[in-house]
Amino acid sequence: MSDATKDEGYTGDGTRAVRAGLPEPVKHEPTLPGPVFAAHFHLPGEVTGPYAYGRDDNPTWTLLERAVGELEAPGREDAETLVFASGMAAISAVLFSQLRAGDAVVLPSDGYQVLPMVGAQLEAYGIEVRTAPTGGDAQLDVLDGARLLWIESPSNPGLDVCDIRRLAEAAHARGALVAVDNTLATPLGQRPLELGADFSVASGTKQLTGHGDVLLGYVTGRNSEAMAAVRRWRKIVGAISGPMEAWLAHRSIATLQMRVDRQNATALTLAETLRQRPEISGLRYPGLPDDPSHKTAAQQMRRYGCVVSFTLPTRARAERFLEALHLVEEATSFGGVRSTAERRRRWGGDAVPDGFIRMSVGAEDPEDLVTDVLRALDESAD
């Protein structure tokens, strides 16, 4: 752990982000060592020490895992972080390492669109899959007898929020483990382990790294036995991050607080502006005081994210709007410094209207971005 983050006097998110995971300083050595590209390491005699083979561990992963752990679970000595090749690799590692034939798992019915595919695979392995919406803590109704509860809050793309602490307490009372997908919130938005979860899982591809050039995932957990199973799964399937991706991710974390604060503030400004447009319906952003999820979000989130969702009247109107944007790229994913937006229904996996737009707010000047969005709305009108 780096000097700054070891000192309890340093508690600011910015300080923590720029210092997270740095090794102890060594004269003439770089502050953040470069990526270690190695498939194997010198290993004479008995197998001892941390590094033996590149699928098992790597010094570049170690520093990144330390950094993520310091953000997700500051001050927790019982927490461990493992990085993966992608967010789905991390999600799969938790689900498939913790569940066995005959177990039951509770998934959100309104979560990330790949979850139904995962659910089908779990069912093929003899695991019962139950689903319920995120909003209204509806997953409580299907918890009895479950081995694992999977929470996605805020949900993607609908931005519903559930009471993580309440759900975690209820799940633990029934003997279930709890995993929270923290991708949209980031560890600067909420810390699931502090809210009672056993795992915080995320796609580092999104706002954690923030530049749209890295595929990465991670799992932070506080149950040593459960995390050992996750580590074993990573070894078995080889779902490992490349050293360059891990190094780029660690470098990017240094600017996380600056990016998050800028993007979140602009997302709120944009949401407040869109609220005045008569052609828009279903506007969602947890930071809006009148958003259906705001009360719950305010109790557990420190920041509300960079994603705004809303619906335009028709598919054609939504497509014209996206085409008219100049500063917003039509692309999937979210959390990058360049704003993106897409009509989510084009993927076919989300239960949203044809005109539903998921917009990820970037780091552009707020005035420029709002002007661009308003102009595109005007130009796309029938």
Side-chain angles (χ1 to χ4, degrees):
M1 187 175 291
S2 58
D3 288 343
T5 49
K6 282 192 297 186
D7 188 332
E8 293 182 1
Y10 295 94
T11 58
D13 285 337
T15 301
R16 198 181 301 280
V18 299
R19 301 293 304 174
L22 297 182
E24 295 290 347
V26 177
K27 190 174 183 179
H28 306 309
E29 293 294 324
T31 304
L32 176 62
V36 175
F37 298 100
H40 61 267
F41 301 81
H42 289 295
L43 194 65
E46 296 298 319
V47 178
T48 59
Y51 306 112
Y53 187 62
R55 191 180 68 249
D56 298 331
D57 251 318
N58 176 288
T60 310
W61 304 351
T62 298
L63 296 180
L64 174 59
E65 288 168 346
R66 188 184 304 168
V68 172
E70 289 172 8
L71 298 177
E72 282 280 357
R76 291 196 70 128
E77 297 298 329
D78 62 341
E80 178 184 2
T81 297
L82 297 170
V83 296
F84 289 82
S86 68
M88 279 309 306
I91 289 170
S92 299
V94 172
L95 290 169
F96 288 98
S97 70
Q98 304 304 313
L99 297 168
R100 304 288 184 272
D103 287 343
V105 61
V106 177
L107 302 178
S109 59
D110 55 345
Y112 181 46
Q113 64 162 345
V114 181
L115 284 181
M117 295 174 59
V118 176
Q121 189 62 55
L122 290 169
E123 289 177 330
Y125 290 156
I127 296 161
E128 179 188 353
V129 176
R130 307 170 187 168
T131 61
T134 299
D137 299 342
Q139 289 175 304
L140 283 172
D141 297 333
V142 291
L143 264 181
D144 286 351
R147 165 65 180 162
L148 176 67
L149 167 64
W150 189 274
I151 294 171
E152 190 175 300
S153 182
S155 62
N156 172 29
L159 303 182
D160 265 328
V161 172
C162 62
D163 187 334
I164 295 173
R165 185 177 283 106
R166 181 188 182 203
L167 284 167
E169 290 175 354
H172 289 153
R174 292 163 171 80
L177 293 168
V178 178
V180 175
D181 187 328
N182 205 33
T183 302
L184 205 147
T186 83
L188 268 59
Q190 69 188 8
R191 295 179 183 140
L193 299 192
E194 292 182 358
L195 298 170
D198 300 289
F199 304 100
S200 181
V201 188
S203 168
T205 306
K206 311 298 194 294
Q207 198 168 18
L208 186 83
T209 54
H211 293 82
D213 54 7
V214 172
L215 282 173
L216 190 88
Y218 69 82
V219 179
T220 300
R222 60 191 180 98
N223 180 310
S224 59
E225 183 178 351
M227 286 301 292
V230 174
R231 179 183 288 274
R232 187 164 55 250
W233 181 264
R234 183 178 71 174
K235 178 182 177 71
I236 291 169
V237 301
I240 59 172
S241 169
M244 191 65 192
E245 286 80 1
W247 184 85
L248 285 169
H250 197 169
R251 178 210 61 177
S252 298
I253 285 174
T255 62
L256 179 61
Q257 182 261 340
M258 291 182 283
R259 290 186 282 108
V260 165
D261 281 352
R262 172 64 170 257
Q263 291 169 258
N264 287 15
T266 305
L268 178 59
T269 298
L270 179 63
E272 290 171 338
T273 302
L274 293 176
R275 193 164 47 182
Q276 312 304 318
R277 298 289 301 208
E279 70 268 52
I280 284 176
S281 63
L283 175 67
R284 296 301 301 272
Y285 181 68
L288 286 172
D290 59 351
D291 185 271
S293 291
H294 180 73
K295 182 178 179 180
T296 301
Q299 293 171 348
Q300 64 190 26
M301 299 184 73
R302 298 180 298 133
R303 296 172 174 86
Y304 299 108
C306 64
V307 176
V308 177
S309 67
F310 55 92
T311 300
L312 289 170
T314 64
R315 169 179 175 170
R317 176 69 189 278
E319 290 175 343
R320 291 197 303 271
F321 165 69
L322 292 169
E323 187 176 357
L325 291 164
H326 294 163
L327 296 180
V328 183
E329 300 170 356
E330 188 172 356
T332 195
S333 196
F334 56 84
V337 291
R338 290 176 291 279
S339 293
T340 61
E342 67 172 338
R343 192 181 67 83
R344 277 303 284 181
R345 187 68 178 173
R346 66 179 178 171
W347 295 97
D350 294 308
V352 294
D354 278 338
F356 181 94
I357 301 291
R358 184 185 71 183
M359 180 169 288
S360 171
V361 173
E364 299 88 357
D365 286 303
E367 298 81 1
D368 291 338
L369 183 63
V370 169
T371 297
D372 187 45
V373 169
L374 293 178
R375 180 196 50 75
L377 285 172
D378 290 339
E379 290 183 4
S380 63
D382 294 330

